Amino acid sequence: MTSRFTELGIDCADPDRLARFWCSVLGYEVRERDEEDGAVTIGAPAGQGAEAPSGPVPPTLTFARVPEGKTVKNRLHIDLSPADRGRDEEVLRLLDLGASRADVGQGEESWVVLTDPEGNEFCVLADRRP
């Protein structure tokens, strides 16, 4: 038996804002909102594999409010593969949603590094369509 990657927790200042951004990026929806601590969990819409008992499950993202801000480069980050367009088209879409370009010393690579509205780095990979 092995474990499955099912959830990624992300510390942030504004869980609602980041949840809206990442819902737009991934086509996710809000799954849970904790009124007590302000955490917001998003995931794939019902019927898109989120309830599968075995096999790959799209991970949920939980945004938790923390008092401290981001100070250094992320040790973990999300990689995105465009599903229905080329990498450059997807980068433009994400910039329109509020992402920003980032230079983390990557040089000329096949991926593009962006940041979400709170400065968390993520990458848009070259096309990986079957």
Side-chain angles (χ1 to χ4, degrees), residues 7 15 19 21 24 37 39 43 47 55 59-61 65-66 69 75 86-87 91 97 104 109 113 118-119 123-124:
E7 183 171 341
F21 173 80
S24 295
D37 64 12
T60 60
L61 304 178
R65 186 180 322 278
V66 296
R75 295 290 302 264
R87 183 203 65 197
V91 166
L97 290 174
V104 295
E109 296 292 346
V113 181
E118 288 202 13
C123 295
V124 182

Short mmCIF file of all heavy atoms in Angstrom, two decimals, residues 7 15 19 21 24 37 39 43 47 55 59-61 65-66 69 75 86-87 91 97 104 109 113 118-119 123-124:
data_model
loop_
_atom_site.label_atom_id
_atom_site.label_comp_id
_atom_site.label_asym_id
_atom_site.label_seq_id
_atom_site.Cartn_x
_atom_site.Cartn_y
_atom_site.Cartn_z
N GLU A 7 -3.72 16.63 -0.89
CA GLU A 7 -3.95 18.00 -0.46
C GLU A 7 -2.63 18.75 -0.32
O GLU A 7 -1.63 18.18 0.11
CB GLU A 7 -4.68 18.02 0.89
CG GLU A 7 -5.03 19.41 1.36
CD GLU A 7 -5.95 19.41 2.58
OE1 GLU A 7 -6.60 18.39 2.84
OE2 GLU A 7 -6.00 20.44 3.25
N PRO A 15 -6.72 34.19 2.37
CA PRO A 15 -7.18 32.92 1.80
C PRO A 15 -8.25 33.06 0.72
O PRO A 15 -8.20 32.35 -0.28
CB PRO A 15 -7.73 32.15 3.01
CG PRO A 15 -6.99 32.71 4.18
CD PRO A 15 -6.80 34.17 3.85
N ALA A 19 -7.73 31.73 -3.02
CA ALA A 19 -8.67 30.69 -3.46
C ALA A 19 -9.33 31.10 -4.78
O ALA A 19 -9.45 30.28 -5.70
CB ALA A 19 -9.72 30.43 -2.38
N PHE A 21 -8.14 33.15 -7.06
CA PHE A 21 -7.13 33.09 -8.11
C PHE A 21 -6.92 31.65 -8.58
O PHE A 21 -7.00 31.34 -9.76
CB PHE A 21 -5.81 33.68 -7.60
CG PHE A 21 -4.66 33.50 -8.56
CD1 PHE A 21 -4.53 34.34 -9.65
CD2 PHE A 21 -3.72 32.50 -8.38
CE1 PHE A 21 -3.47 34.19 -10.55
CE2 PHE A 21 -2.67 32.33 -9.26
CZ PHE A 21 -2.54 33.17 -10.36
N SER A 24 -9.72 30.03 -10.54
CA SER A 24 -9.70 30.47 -11.93
C SER A 24 -8.61 29.77 -12.72
O SER A 24 -8.80 29.38 -13.88
CB SER A 24 -9.51 31.98 -12.01
OG SER A 24 -10.61 32.66 -11.46
N ASP A 37 -11.30 30.04 11.43
CA ASP A 37 -9.91 30.48 11.19
C ASP A 37 -9.69 31.07 9.79
O ASP A 37 -8.59 31.47 9.46
CB ASP A 37 -8.92 29.35 11.44
CG ASP A 37 -9.08 28.17 10.49
OD1 ASP A 37 -9.79 28.29 9.48
OD2 ASP A 37 -8.47 27.12 10.76
N ALA A 39 -9.70 29.61 6.85
CA ALA A 39 -9.10 28.74 5.83
C ALA A 39 -10.12 28.43 4.74
O ALA A 39 -11.32 28.31 5.00
CB ALA A 39 -8.61 27.44 6.47
N GLY A 43 -11.10 22.52 -4.71
CA GLY A 43 -10.82 21.25 -5.37
C GLY A 43 -11.55 21.13 -6.69
O GLY A 43 -12.34 22.01 -7.06
N GLY A 47 -17.58 15.14 -9.79
CA GLY A 47 -17.71 14.40 -11.03
C GLY A 47 -16.47 14.46 -11.91
O GLY A 47 -16.45 13.89 -12.98
N GLY A 55 -6.58 5.28 -7.63
CA GLY A 55 -5.99 5.97 -8.77
C GLY A 55 -5.74 7.43 -8.46
O GLY A 55 -5.93 7.89 -7.33
N PRO A 59 -5.48 16.88 -6.39
CA PRO A 59 -5.32 17.34 -5.01
C PRO A 59 -6.14 18.59 -4.73
O PRO A 59 -6.36 19.41 -5.62
CB PRO A 59 -3.83 17.64 -4.90
CG PRO A 59 -3.38 17.88 -6.29
CD PRO A 59 -4.26 17.05 -7.17
N THR A 60 -6.60 18.71 -3.51
CA THR A 60 -7.23 19.95 -3.08
C THR A 60 -6.13 20.90 -2.61
O THR A 60 -5.02 20.48 -2.28
CB THR A 60 -8.23 19.72 -1.93
OG1 THR A 60 -7.54 19.15 -0.83
CG2 THR A 60 -9.38 18.81 -2.35
N LEU A 61 -6.43 22.18 -2.59
CA LEU A 61 -5.53 23.20 -2.06
C LEU A 61 -6.24 23.87 -0.90
O LEU A 61 -7.40 24.28 -1.04
CB LEU A 61 -5.19 24.25 -3.12
CG LEU A 61 -4.58 23.76 -4.43
CD1 LEU A 61 -4.35 24.94 -5.37
CD2 LEU A 61 -3.29 23.02 -4.20
N ARG A 65 -4.72 31.25 6.71
CA ARG A 65 -4.23 32.58 7.07
C ARG A 65 -3.12 32.45 8.12
O ARG A 65 -3.27 31.75 9.11
CB ARG A 65 -5.36 33.43 7.64
CG ARG A 65 -4.97 34.88 7.91
CD ARG A 65 -6.12 35.70 8.47
NE ARG A 65 -7.43 35.41 7.91
CZ ARG A 65 -7.91 35.90 6.75
NH1 ARG A 65 -7.16 36.69 6.01
NH2 ARG A 65 -9.12 35.59 6.34
N VAL A 66 -2.00 33.13 7.86
CA VAL A 66 -0.90 33.20 8.82
C VAL A 66 -0.48 34.66 8.94
O VAL A 66 -0.66 35.44 8.01
CB VAL A 66 0.31 32.33 8.40
CG1 VAL A 66 -0.07 30.85 8.38
CG2 VAL A 66 0.87 32.75 7.07
N GLY A 69 4.54 37.15 6.50
CA GLY A 69 4.55 37.16 5.05
C GLY A 69 5.61 36.23 4.49
O GLY A 69 6.46 35.72 5.21
N ARG A 75 10.16 26.44 -1.18
CA ARG A 75 10.87 25.16 -1.23
C ARG A 75 10.08 24.15 -2.07
O ARG A 75 10.63 23.22 -2.62
CB ARG A 75 11.07 24.60 0.18
CG ARG A 75 11.97 25.44 1.07
CD ARG A 75 13.43 25.40 0.63
NE ARG A 75 14.00 24.08 0.61
CZ ARG A 75 14.72 23.55 1.58
NH1 ARG A 75 14.97 24.23 2.67
NH2 ARG A 75 15.19 22.34 1.46
N GLY A 86 -1.33 26.32 -25.82
CA GLY A 86 0.12 26.30 -25.67
C GLY A 86 0.57 27.01 -24.41
O GLY A 86 -0.18 27.75 -23.78
N ARG A 87 1.82 26.77 -24.05
CA ARG A 87 2.38 27.37 -22.84
C ARG A 87 2.28 28.88 -22.85
O ARG A 87 1.86 29.49 -21.87
CB ARG A 87 3.85 26.95 -22.69
CG ARG A 87 4.49 27.48 -21.41
CD ARG A 87 5.98 27.56 -21.48
NE ARG A 87 6.37 28.55 -22.48
CZ ARG A 87 7.57 28.63 -23.01
NH1 ARG A 87 8.50 27.78 -22.66
NH2 ARG A 87 7.85 29.54 -23.90
N VAL A 91 0.35 31.29 -20.22
CA VAL A 91 1.03 32.32 -19.43
C VAL A 91 0.28 33.64 -19.53
O VAL A 91 0.04 34.32 -18.53
CB VAL A 91 2.51 32.46 -19.86
CG1 VAL A 91 3.13 33.73 -19.30
CG2 VAL A 91 3.31 31.24 -19.42
N LEU A 97 -5.12 36.94 -15.05
CA LEU A 97 -5.81 36.59 -13.80
C LEU A 97 -5.15 37.20 -12.56
O LEU A 97 -5.71 37.15 -11.48
CB LEU A 97 -5.86 35.07 -13.63
CG LEU A 97 -6.76 34.31 -14.59
CD1 LEU A 97 -6.59 32.80 -14.39
CD2 LEU A 97 -8.22 34.71 -14.38
N VAL A 104 13.82 33.51 -10.81
CA VAL A 104 14.42 32.83 -9.66
C VAL A 104 15.77 32.24 -10.06
O VAL A 104 16.24 31.29 -9.46
CB VAL A 104 13.48 31.73 -9.09
CG1 VAL A 104 12.22 32.35 -8.51
CG2 VAL A 104 13.14 30.69 -10.14
N GLU A 109 14.78 28.37 -20.09
CA GLU A 109 14.27 27.02 -19.87
C GLU A 109 12.98 26.83 -20.67
O GLU A 109 12.45 27.78 -21.23
CB GLU A 109 13.99 26.79 -18.37
CG GLU A 109 15.21 26.85 -17.48
CD GLU A 109 16.20 25.72 -17.71
OE1 GLU A 109 15.85 24.72 -18.36
OE2 GLU A 109 17.33 25.83 -17.23
N VAL A 113 8.38 30.80 -15.09
CA VAL A 113 8.13 30.97 -13.66
C VAL A 113 7.25 32.20 -13.46
O VAL A 113 7.55 33.27 -13.96
CB VAL A 113 9.44 31.11 -12.86
CG1 VAL A 113 9.14 31.25 -11.37
CG2 VAL A 113 10.36 29.91 -13.11
N GLU A 118 0.17 36.53 -4.05
CA GLU A 118 0.92 36.72 -2.81
C GLU A 118 2.40 36.41 -2.97
O GLU A 118 3.13 36.32 -2.00
CB GLU A 118 0.30 35.90 -1.68
CG GLU A 118 -1.02 36.48 -1.22
CD GLU A 118 -1.40 36.07 0.19
OE1 GLU A 118 -0.56 35.53 0.94
OE2 GLU A 118 -2.57 36.29 0.53
N GLY A 119 2.85 36.22 -4.19
CA GLY A 119 4.27 36.03 -4.44
C GLY A 119 4.76 34.60 -4.40
O GLY A 119 5.96 34.36 -4.45
N CYS A 123 5.25 27.22 -11.82
CA CYS A 123 5.78 27.13 -13.18
C CYS A 123 4.71 26.69 -14.15
O CYS A 123 3.84 25.88 -13.83
CB CYS A 123 6.93 26.13 -13.24
SG CYS A 123 8.37 26.62 -12.26
N VAL A 124 4.81 27.21 -15.37
CA VAL A 124 3.99 26.77 -16.47
C VAL A 124 4.93 26.02 -17.40
O VAL A 124 5.89 26.58 -17.93
CB VAL A 124 3.30 27.94 -17.21
CG1 VAL A 124 2.41 27.41 -18.32
CG2 VAL A 124 2.50 28.79 -16.23
#
